[in-house]
Amino acid sequence: MDLRYSEADEKFRGEFRSWLNDAVPAYGDPPPPHDWPARRAYDTGWQRTLYQAGYACIDWPKQYGGRDASPTEQLVYFEEIARARAPYVGINFVGIKHGGPTLIAEGTPEQKARHIPRILKGEEVWCQGFSEPGAGSDLASLQTRAVRDGDHYVVNGHKIWTTYAQVADYCELLVRTDPAAPKHKGISWLILPMNLPGIEIGPLRTLVGEGEFNELFLEDVRVPVEDRVGAENDGWRVTNVTLRFERGTAFAAAIYSQQEFLADIARAARQVTRDDARAWDDTALRKEIGHAQAELDALWAMVKMGVSESSKTGVPGIAGVAVKLLYSELDQRLGDLAMRVLGRAGLSRDDVGGLPSKRFLATALKSISLTIAAGTSQIQRNIIAERILGLPKER
Protein backbone atom coordinates (compact mmCIF):
# COMPACT_ATOMS: atom_id res chain seq x y z
CA MET A 1 0.00 0.00 0.00
CA ASP A 2 1.26 3.48 -0.89
CA LEU A 3 1.63 5.41 2.38
CA ARG A 4 2.95 8.61 0.83
CA TYR A 5 0.74 11.61 1.51
CA SER A 6 -1.54 12.63 -1.35
CA GLU A 7 -2.94 16.04 -2.19
CA ALA A 8 -6.18 15.01 -0.42
CA ASP A 9 -4.20 14.00 2.70
CA GLU A 10 -2.46 17.37 2.80
CA LYS A 11 -5.83 19.09 2.40
CA PHE A 12 -7.12 17.11 5.38
CA ARG A 13 -3.95 18.06 7.29
CA GLY A 14 -4.52 21.74 6.60
CA GLU A 15 -8.15 21.62 7.71
CA PHE A 16 -7.39 19.63 10.86
CA ARG A 17 -4.35 21.76 11.77
CA SER A 18 -6.41 24.93 11.38
CA TRP A 19 -9.11 23.51 13.65
CA LEU A 20 -6.55 22.38 16.26
CA ASN A 21 -4.86 25.79 16.23
CA ASP A 22 -8.10 27.30 17.53
CA ALA A 23 -9.55 24.41 19.55
CA VAL A 24 -6.52 23.43 21.67
CA PRO A 25 -5.78 26.86 23.21
CA ALA A 26 -9.49 27.47 23.72
CA TYR A 27 -9.96 24.20 25.62
CA GLY A 28 -7.64 25.18 28.45
CA ASP A 29 -5.24 23.42 30.77
CA PRO A 30 -5.90 20.01 32.39
CA PRO A 31 -7.03 19.77 36.02
CA PRO A 32 -4.79 18.53 38.88
CA PRO A 33 -3.89 14.82 38.50
CA HIS A 34 -5.60 13.76 41.75
CA ASP A 35 -8.96 15.36 40.95
CA TRP A 36 -10.60 12.39 39.23
CA PRO A 37 -14.09 13.88 38.65
CA ALA A 38 -12.43 16.91 37.02
CA ARG A 39 -10.14 14.68 34.95
CA ARG A 40 -13.13 12.70 33.70
CA ALA A 41 -14.95 15.92 32.80
CA TYR A 42 -11.84 17.30 31.02
CA ASP A 43 -11.01 14.16 29.00
CA THR A 44 -14.59 13.31 28.03
CA GLY A 45 -15.19 16.99 27.21
CA TRP A 46 -12.28 16.95 24.74
CA GLN A 47 -13.62 13.74 23.22
CA ARG A 48 -17.03 15.40 22.80
CA THR A 49 -15.34 18.44 21.21
CA LEU A 50 -13.61 16.17 18.69
CA TYR A 51 -16.90 14.39 17.97
CA GLN A 52 -18.84 17.60 17.39
CA ALA A 53 -16.18 18.76 14.93
CA GLY A 54 -16.14 15.39 13.12
CA TYR A 55 -12.65 14.44 14.29
CA ALA A 56 -13.40 11.66 16.83
CA CYS A 57 -12.16 8.13 16.05
CA ILE A 58 -11.73 8.94 12.37
CA ASP A 59 -10.64 5.36 11.58
CA TRP A 60 -13.95 3.90 12.78
CA PRO A 61 -16.60 3.00 10.16
CA LYS A 62 -19.00 5.77 9.17
CA GLN A 63 -21.97 3.66 10.25
CA TYR A 64 -20.68 3.90 13.84
CA GLY A 65 -19.87 7.62 13.68
CA GLY A 66 -16.30 7.53 12.33
CA ARG A 67 -15.05 8.77 8.95
CA ASP A 68 -13.70 5.55 7.38
CA ALA A 69 -10.40 7.42 7.26
CA SER A 70 -7.71 6.04 4.98
CA PRO A 71 -4.42 4.80 6.50
CA THR A 72 -2.61 7.96 5.41
CA GLU A 73 -5.35 10.19 6.88
CA GLN A 74 -4.95 8.33 10.18
CA LEU A 75 -1.19 8.95 10.13
CA VAL A 76 -1.75 12.65 9.36
CA TYR A 77 -4.23 12.73 12.27
CA PHE A 78 -1.70 11.26 14.74
CA GLU A 79 1.02 13.66 13.56
CA GLU A 80 -1.18 16.74 13.90
CA ILE A 81 -2.55 15.73 17.33
CA ALA A 82 1.05 15.39 18.58
CA ARG A 83 2.27 18.57 16.86
CA ALA A 84 -0.54 20.63 18.42
CA ARG A 85 0.07 19.02 21.83
CA ALA A 86 -3.67 18.46 22.00
CA PRO A 87 -5.20 16.89 25.12
CA TYR A 88 -4.41 13.18 25.29
CA VAL A 89 -7.19 10.60 25.05
CA GLY A 90 -6.63 10.13 28.82
CA ILE A 91 -9.30 8.21 30.72
CA ASN A 92 -11.01 7.34 27.42
CA PHE A 93 -8.00 5.20 26.46
CA VAL A 94 -9.52 1.73 26.95
CA GLY A 95 -12.88 2.49 25.34
CA ILE A 96 -11.50 4.30 22.31
CA LYS A 97 -8.26 2.44 21.67
CA HIS A 98 -9.26 -1.20 22.17
CA GLY A 99 -12.64 -1.72 23.92
CA GLY A 100 -14.66 0.03 21.22
CA PRO A 101 -12.64 -1.48 18.34
CA THR A 102 -13.14 -4.95 19.89
CA LEU A 103 -16.92 -4.43 20.00
CA ILE A 104 -16.89 -3.28 16.36
CA ALA A 105 -15.00 -6.45 15.39
CA GLU A 106 -16.69 -9.00 17.71
CA GLY A 107 -19.79 -7.48 19.34
CA THR A 108 -23.43 -8.21 18.57
CA PRO A 109 -25.51 -5.57 16.72
CA GLU A 110 -27.22 -4.73 20.02
CA GLN A 111 -23.88 -4.31 21.85
CA LYS A 112 -22.56 -2.06 19.09
CA ALA A 113 -25.72 0.06 19.05
CA ARG A 114 -25.67 0.40 22.85
CA HIS A 115 -22.01 1.27 23.40
CA ILE A 116 -20.19 2.49 20.27
CA PRO A 117 -21.99 5.85 19.85
CA ARG A 118 -21.61 6.64 23.57
CA ILE A 119 -17.88 5.79 23.56
CA LEU A 120 -17.43 7.97 20.49
CA LYS A 121 -19.15 10.96 22.13
CA GLY A 122 -17.26 10.65 25.42
CA GLU A 123 -20.40 9.53 27.26
CA GLU A 124 -19.00 6.13 28.31
CA VAL A 125 -15.65 5.52 30.01
CA TRP A 126 -14.19 1.99 30.05
CA CYS A 127 -11.52 0.24 32.07
CA GLN A 128 -9.80 -3.12 31.63
CA GLY A 129 -10.17 -6.11 34.00
CA PHE A 130 -7.58 -8.51 32.59
CA SER A 131 -4.62 -8.84 35.01
CA GLU A 132 -4.82 -10.76 38.28
CA PRO A 133 -2.45 -10.79 41.28
CA GLY A 134 -1.95 -14.58 41.08
CA ALA A 135 -1.47 -14.82 37.31
CA GLY A 136 1.60 -12.62 36.81
CA SER A 137 2.50 -12.23 33.14
CA ASP A 138 0.56 -15.38 32.22
CA LEU A 139 -2.80 -13.76 31.47
CA ALA A 140 -4.45 -17.09 30.59
CA SER A 141 -3.90 -18.30 34.18
CA LEU A 142 -6.66 -15.99 35.41
CA GLN A 143 -8.88 -17.42 38.16
CA THR A 144 -11.82 -15.01 38.37
CA ARG A 145 -14.86 -17.29 38.04
CA ALA A 146 -18.18 -16.71 36.30
CA VAL A 147 -20.89 -19.31 36.97
CA ARG A 148 -24.02 -19.35 34.82
CA ASP A 149 -27.27 -18.77 36.75
CA GLY A 150 -30.17 -18.41 34.31
CA ASP A 151 -29.74 -15.23 32.29
CA HIS A 152 -26.78 -14.06 34.37
CA TYR A 153 -23.21 -14.95 35.23
CA VAL A 154 -22.30 -14.76 38.92
CA VAL A 155 -18.75 -13.41 39.05
CA ASN A 156 -16.26 -13.74 41.91
CA GLY A 157 -12.59 -12.78 41.78
CA HIS A 158 -9.88 -10.18 42.06
CA LYS A 159 -8.32 -8.01 39.31
CA ILE A 160 -5.33 -5.70 39.48
CA TRP A 161 -3.81 -2.81 37.45
CA THR A 162 -7.34 -1.78 36.45
CA THR A 163 -6.53 1.67 35.08
CA TYR A 164 -9.18 4.39 35.62
CA ALA A 165 -11.62 1.97 37.30
CA GLN A 166 -12.66 4.74 39.70
CA VAL A 167 -14.19 6.79 36.88
CA ALA A 168 -15.26 3.98 34.51
CA ASP A 169 -18.81 3.10 33.47
CA TYR A 170 -17.90 -0.30 31.98
CA CYS A 171 -15.07 -2.81 32.18
CA GLU A 172 -13.82 -5.30 29.58
CA LEU A 173 -13.67 -8.28 31.93
CA LEU A 174 -12.04 -11.69 31.44
CA VAL A 175 -13.53 -14.56 33.48
CA ARG A 176 -13.11 -18.31 33.66
CA THR A 177 -16.36 -20.00 32.64
CA ASP A 178 -15.02 -23.58 32.35
CA PRO A 179 -12.43 -24.41 35.02
CA ALA A 180 -12.06 -27.98 33.70
CA ALA A 181 -10.95 -26.87 30.23
CA PRO A 182 -7.31 -26.13 29.27
CA LYS A 183 -6.47 -22.64 30.51
CA HIS A 184 -6.77 -20.94 27.11
CA LYS A 185 -10.12 -22.66 26.36
CA GLY A 186 -12.34 -21.89 29.34
CA ILE A 187 -12.30 -18.07 29.26
CA SER A 188 -15.09 -15.63 28.34
CA TRP A 189 -15.01 -11.85 27.60
CA LEU A 190 -17.74 -9.89 29.43
CA ILE A 191 -18.94 -6.28 29.43
CA LEU A 192 -19.11 -5.43 33.14
CA PRO A 193 -21.28 -2.44 34.14
CA MET A 194 -19.28 -0.81 36.94
CA ASN A 195 -22.37 0.20 38.92
CA LEU A 196 -23.42 -3.37 39.77
CA PRO A 197 -23.63 -4.48 43.44
CA GLY A 198 -20.62 -6.48 44.68
CA ILE A 199 -17.88 -4.36 43.01
CA GLU A 200 -15.25 -2.77 45.25
CA ILE A 201 -12.40 -0.58 43.93
CA GLY A 202 -9.11 -0.01 45.75
CA PRO A 203 -6.67 2.63 44.36
CA LEU A 204 -2.95 1.85 43.93
CA ARG A 205 -0.67 4.89 44.20
CA THR A 206 2.13 5.01 41.60
CA LEU A 207 5.64 6.51 41.54
CA VAL A 208 4.23 9.50 39.68
CA GLY A 209 1.95 10.13 42.66
CA GLU A 210 -1.27 9.36 40.81
CA GLY A 211 -3.87 6.70 41.63
CA GLU A 212 -4.76 5.69 38.07
CA PHE A 213 -4.19 1.98 38.84
CA ASN A 214 -6.70 0.09 40.96
CA GLU A 215 -7.53 -3.28 42.40
CA LEU A 216 -10.98 -4.60 41.54
CA PHE A 217 -12.74 -6.96 43.96
CA LEU A 218 -15.77 -8.85 42.62
CA GLU A 219 -18.16 -10.68 44.98
CA ASP A 220 -21.29 -12.34 43.60
CA VAL A 221 -21.58 -9.75 40.82
CA ARG A 222 -24.45 -10.65 38.49
CA VAL A 223 -23.60 -9.84 34.87
CA PRO A 224 -26.29 -10.36 32.18
CA VAL A 225 -25.42 -13.11 29.69
CA GLU A 226 -26.31 -10.69 26.89
CA ASP A 227 -23.17 -8.73 27.91
CA ARG A 228 -20.84 -11.55 26.82
CA VAL A 229 -18.76 -10.73 23.72
CA GLY A 230 -18.21 -13.80 21.55
CA ALA A 231 -19.21 -17.33 22.44
CA GLU A 232 -18.92 -18.76 25.94
CA ASN A 233 -15.38 -20.12 26.48
CA ASP A 234 -14.17 -18.37 23.30
CA GLY A 235 -12.86 -15.39 25.24
CA TRP A 236 -9.17 -16.05 24.61
CA ARG A 237 -9.66 -15.53 20.88
CA VAL A 238 -11.60 -12.29 21.54
CA THR A 239 -8.89 -11.25 24.00
CA ASN A 240 -6.26 -11.55 21.30
CA VAL A 241 -8.33 -9.21 19.13
CA THR A 242 -8.33 -6.71 22.01
CA LEU A 243 -4.59 -7.14 22.58
CA ARG A 244 -3.82 -6.62 18.89
CA PHE A 245 -5.56 -3.25 19.04
CA GLU A 246 -3.86 -2.45 22.36
CA ARG A 247 -0.37 -3.36 21.11
CA GLY A 248 -0.77 -2.54 17.44
CA THR A 249 -2.30 0.89 16.90
CA ALA A 250 -3.33 2.18 20.34
CA PHE A 251 0.07 3.78 20.97
CA ALA A 252 0.37 5.49 17.57
CA ALA A 253 -0.24 9.07 18.79
CA ALA A 254 2.00 8.49 21.82
CA ILE A 255 4.76 7.18 19.56
CA TYR A 256 4.66 10.30 17.42
CA SER A 257 4.69 12.39 20.62
CA GLN A 258 8.03 10.75 21.45
CA GLN A 259 9.50 12.75 18.55
CA GLU A 260 8.30 15.97 20.20
CA PHE A 261 9.77 14.78 23.52
CA LEU A 262 13.17 14.09 21.93
CA ALA A 263 13.11 17.57 20.36
CA ASP A 264 12.39 19.00 23.84
CA ILE A 265 15.38 17.06 25.23
CA ALA A 266 17.61 18.57 22.53
CA ARG A 267 16.30 22.07 23.35
CA ALA A 268 16.99 21.51 27.08
CA ALA A 269 20.52 20.31 26.25
CA ARG A 270 21.16 23.68 24.57
CA GLN A 271 20.08 25.45 27.79
CA VAL A 272 21.93 23.37 30.40
CA THR A 273 25.56 24.31 31.10
CA ARG A 274 28.21 22.18 32.75
CA ASP A 275 31.85 23.21 33.34
CA ASP A 276 31.30 26.41 31.31
CA ALA A 277 29.99 24.48 28.30
CA ARG A 278 26.53 23.59 27.07
CA ALA A 279 25.38 19.99 27.47
CA TRP A 280 24.73 20.13 23.73
CA ASP A 281 28.49 20.57 23.13
CA ASP A 282 29.02 16.97 24.30
CA THR A 283 29.58 14.96 21.11
CA ALA A 284 28.51 11.71 22.77
CA LEU A 285 25.19 13.25 23.83
CA ARG A 286 24.46 14.53 20.30
CA LYS A 287 25.29 11.09 18.93
CA GLU A 288 22.88 9.47 21.39
CA ILE A 289 20.10 11.89 20.40
CA GLY A 290 20.79 11.17 16.73
CA HIS A 291 20.56 7.42 17.28
CA ALA A 292 17.29 7.88 19.20
CA GLN A 293 15.85 9.90 16.30
CA ALA A 294 16.80 7.12 13.90
CA GLU A 295 15.01 4.58 16.11
CA LEU A 296 11.94 6.82 16.25
CA ASP A 297 11.91 7.03 12.45
CA ALA A 298 12.05 3.23 12.26
CA LEU A 299 9.30 2.91 14.87
CA TRP A 300 7.04 5.31 12.95
CA ALA A 301 7.59 3.22 9.82
CA MET A 302 6.43 0.16 11.79
CA VAL A 303 3.34 2.09 12.92
CA LYS A 304 2.59 2.88 9.27
CA MET A 305 2.77 -0.81 8.46
CA GLY A 306 0.40 -1.64 11.34
CA VAL A 307 -2.14 1.03 10.37
CA SER A 308 -2.05 -0.19 6.78
CA GLU A 309 -2.61 -3.82 7.80
CA SER A 310 -5.43 -2.87 10.18
CA SER A 311 -7.18 -0.98 7.39
CA LYS A 312 -7.13 -4.05 5.17
CA THR A 313 -8.19 -6.69 7.72
CA GLY A 314 -10.05 -4.69 10.41
CA VAL A 315 -7.60 -5.88 13.07
CA PRO A 316 -3.90 -5.00 13.56
CA GLY A 317 -1.45 -7.77 12.71
CA ILE A 318 0.70 -9.78 15.09
CA ALA A 319 3.69 -7.53 14.30
CA GLY A 320 2.15 -4.98 16.66
CA VAL A 321 3.95 -6.74 19.51
CA ALA A 322 7.25 -5.54 18.02
CA VAL A 323 5.92 -1.98 17.91
CA LYS A 324 4.87 -2.19 21.56
CA LEU A 325 8.22 -3.69 22.59
CA LEU A 326 10.36 -1.06 20.84
CA TYR A 327 8.06 1.82 21.88
CA SER A 328 8.05 0.95 25.59
CA GLU A 329 11.79 0.26 25.87
CA LEU A 330 12.69 3.35 23.82
CA ASP A 331 10.43 5.45 26.04
CA GLN A 332 12.42 4.35 29.09
CA ARG A 333 15.72 5.24 27.39
CA LEU A 334 14.34 8.68 26.42
CA GLY A 335 13.26 9.22 30.03
CA ASP A 336 16.74 8.28 31.24
CA LEU A 337 18.31 10.59 28.64
CA ALA A 338 16.07 13.48 29.75
CA MET A 339 17.10 12.97 33.38
CA ARG A 340 20.81 12.95 32.45
CA VAL A 341 20.40 16.18 30.49
CA LEU A 342 18.63 17.87 33.42
CA GLY A 343 21.21 16.70 35.97
CA ARG A 344 20.31 17.94 39.48
CA ALA A 345 17.27 19.79 38.10
CA GLY A 346 15.79 16.34 37.46
CA LEU A 347 15.34 15.88 41.21
CA SER A 348 12.56 18.48 41.23
CA ARG A 349 8.90 17.77 40.53
CA ASP A 350 8.56 21.45 39.55
CA ASP A 351 10.21 23.33 36.68
CA VAL A 352 13.64 24.71 37.59
CA GLY A 353 15.56 27.52 35.88
CA GLY A 354 13.31 27.55 32.84
CA LEU A 355 13.82 23.80 32.32
CA PRO A 356 10.82 21.43 31.93
CA SER A 357 11.78 19.34 34.97
CA LYS A 358 8.18 18.57 35.96
CA ARG A 359 7.26 16.99 32.62
CA PHE A 360 10.61 15.28 32.09
CA LEU A 361 10.52 13.64 35.55
CA ALA A 362 6.87 12.58 35.20
CA THR A 363 7.59 11.07 31.76
CA ALA A 364 10.67 9.23 33.04
CA LEU A 365 8.84 7.77 36.04
CA LYS A 366 5.76 6.80 34.04
CA SER A 367 7.89 5.08 31.39
CA ILE A 368 8.89 2.43 33.95
CA SER A 369 5.39 0.94 33.82
CA LEU A 370 5.25 0.77 30.02
CA THR A 371 7.35 -2.40 29.76
CA ILE A 372 4.76 -4.09 31.99
CA ALA A 373 1.50 -2.61 30.65
CA ALA A 374 -0.21 -4.47 27.76
CA GLY A 375 2.08 -7.45 28.35
CA THR A 376 5.65 -7.40 29.64
CA SER A 377 8.67 -7.14 27.37
CA GLN A 378 9.40 -10.80 28.12
CA ILE A 379 5.94 -11.78 26.86
CA GLN A 380 6.37 -9.67 23.71
CA ARG A 381 9.74 -11.34 22.99
CA ASN A 382 8.19 -14.79 23.45
CA ILE A 383 5.40 -13.91 20.98
CA ILE A 384 7.90 -12.53 18.45
CA ALA A 385 10.07 -15.64 18.79
CA GLU A 386 7.28 -18.20 18.57
CA ARG A 387 4.57 -16.64 16.37
CA ILE A 388 6.59 -14.38 14.05
CA LEU A 389 9.99 -16.07 13.79
CA GLY A 390 8.64 -19.62 14.23
CA LEU A 391 11.16 -20.60 16.90
CA PRO A 392 10.42 -23.57 19.21
CA LYS A 393 8.12 -22.89 22.18
CA GLU A 394 9.40 -22.59 25.73
CA ARG A 395 9.30 -25.78 27.79
Side-chain angles (χ1 to χ4, degrees):
M1 178 173 286
D2 186 356
L3 290 174
R4 291 173 295 183
Y5 296 137
S6 66
E7 188 175 331
D9 295 330
E10 294 301 340
K11 182 182 178 185
F12 170 69
R13 184 193 299 279
E15 293 170 354
F16 189 40
R17 179 177 293 186
S18 176
W19 181 81
L20 287 169
N21 286 342
D22 293 331
V24 172
Y27 195 66
D29 296 326
H34 305 295
D35 189 343
W36 287 104
R39 284 185 63 175
R40 173 175 169 130
Y42 184 85
D43 292 346
T44 56
W46 176 247
Q47 178 65 22
R48 188 163 51 254
T49 301
L50 287 169
Y51 172 77
Q52 290 170 344
Y55 292 123
C57 307
I58 64 167
D59 55 319
W60 289 15
K62 283 183 179 177
Q63 69 183 103
Y64 300 119
R67 295 170 61 123
D68 276 328
S70 69
T72 49
E73 282 180 326
Q74 294 173 50
L75 294 169
V76 167
Y77 183 86
F78 296 140
E79 291 173 2
E80 291 304 313
I81 284 281
R83 187 202 62 81
R85 304 196 181 212
Y88 184 55
V89 65
I91 63 167
N92 296 304
F93 182 85
V94 172
I96 291 171
K97 295 298 184 180
H98 45 86
T102 300
L103 291 185
I104 290 173
E106 299 289 340
T108 65
E110 292 77 16
Q111 290 167 346
K112 294 174 186 176
R114 191 185 318 143
H115 295 287
I116 295 301
R118 292 178 58 80
I119 294 173
L120 192 76
K121 296 174 186 176
E123 295 174 352
E124 269 187 16
V125 173
W126 283 56
C127 61
Q128 186 181 73
F130 279 17
S131 299
E132 295 188 4
S137 295
D138 185 5
L139 178 59
S141 294
L142 63 93
Q143 295 299 314
T144 294
R145 287 289 312 278
V147 177
R148 185 77 175 261
D149 181 20
D151 294 333
H152 288 78
Y153 289 106
V154 180
V155 179
N156 286 277
H158 179 189
K159 298 290 181 177
I160 198 168
W161 314 129
T162 309
T163 310
Y164 305 131
Q166 66 270 61
V167 290
D169 303 300
Y170 292 91
C171 175
E172 46 183 35
L173 183 72
L174 295 188
V175 294
R176 188 160 297 285
T177 38
D178 183 356
K183 65 180 182 180
H184 292 93
K185 302 292 184 183
I187 293 171
S188 296
W189 200 111
L190 302 181
I191 301 169
L192 172 70
M194 292 295 286
N195 61 354
L196 292 178
I199 299 176
E200 183 179 343
I201 299 167
L204 297 168
R205 197 174 179 86
T206 68
L207 271 176
V208 184
E210 298 182 13
E212 65 189 61
F213 291 137
N214 298 275
E215 289 185 279
L216 197 61
F217 301 92
L218 306 160
E219 183 176 358
D220 295 332
V221 181
R222 296 182 68 83
V223 182
V225 171
E226 66 183 19
D227 283 340
R228 188 189 67 230
V229 177
E232 187 171 277
N233 299 324
D234 191 32
W236 187 248
R237 184 191 60 79
V238 181
T239 301
N240 275 281
V241 172
T242 306
L243 293 176
R244 285 196 180 192
F245 283 112
E246 186 174 12
R247 296 166 180 168
T249 54
F251 295 115
I255 288 170
Y256 198 81
S257 293
Q258 286 179 321
Q259 308 226 20
E260 300 290 337
F261 186 53
L262 182 61
D264 288 344
I265 294 172
R267 273 190 286 273
R270 292 184 176 93
Q271 288 181 253
V272 172
T273 56
R274 299 189 185 108
D275 300 325
D276 297 326
R278 299 180 307 168
W280 184 252
D281 296 329
D282 183 342
T283 305
L285 177 68
R286 294 203 305 274
K287 185 176 179 182
E288 188 173 352
I289 290 175
H291 281 176
Q293 183 59 57
E295 288 186 81
L296 286 170
D297 290 344
L299 186 55
W300 191 239
M302 293 167 69
V303 170
K304 289 181 175 179
M305 184 175 70
V307 169
S308 173
E309 187 169 8
S310 178
S311 298
K312 286 191 291 186
T313 65
V315 178
I318 191 68
V321 295
V323 173
K324 194 273 174 182
L325 177 65
L326 178 55
Y327 156 69
S328 56
E329 297 194 347
L330 180 56
D331 204 69
Q332 289 184 353
R333 281 187 279 127
L334 291 178
D336 178 68
L337 177 60
M339 290 296 96
R340 282 188 281 119
V341 166
L342 286 178
R344 292 179 61 191
L347 296 173
S348 174
R349 288 186 184 270
D350 296 312
D351 292 347
V352 175
L355 294 168
S357 305
K358 181 179 180 180
R359 187 164 70 88
F360 278 17
L361 178 59
T363 302
L365 292 177
K366 195 163 189 174
S367 71
I368 297 171
S369 67
L370 291 181
T371 49
I372 300 172
T376 65
S377 289
Q378 290 80 6
I379 291 293
Q380 310 306 317
R381 286 189 166 88
N382 273 350
I383 294 172
I384 291 169
E386 295 172 4
R387 300 189 201 171
I388 297 178
L389 301 178
L391 297 176
K393 291 194 174 188
E394 273 189 321
R395 293 185 178 179

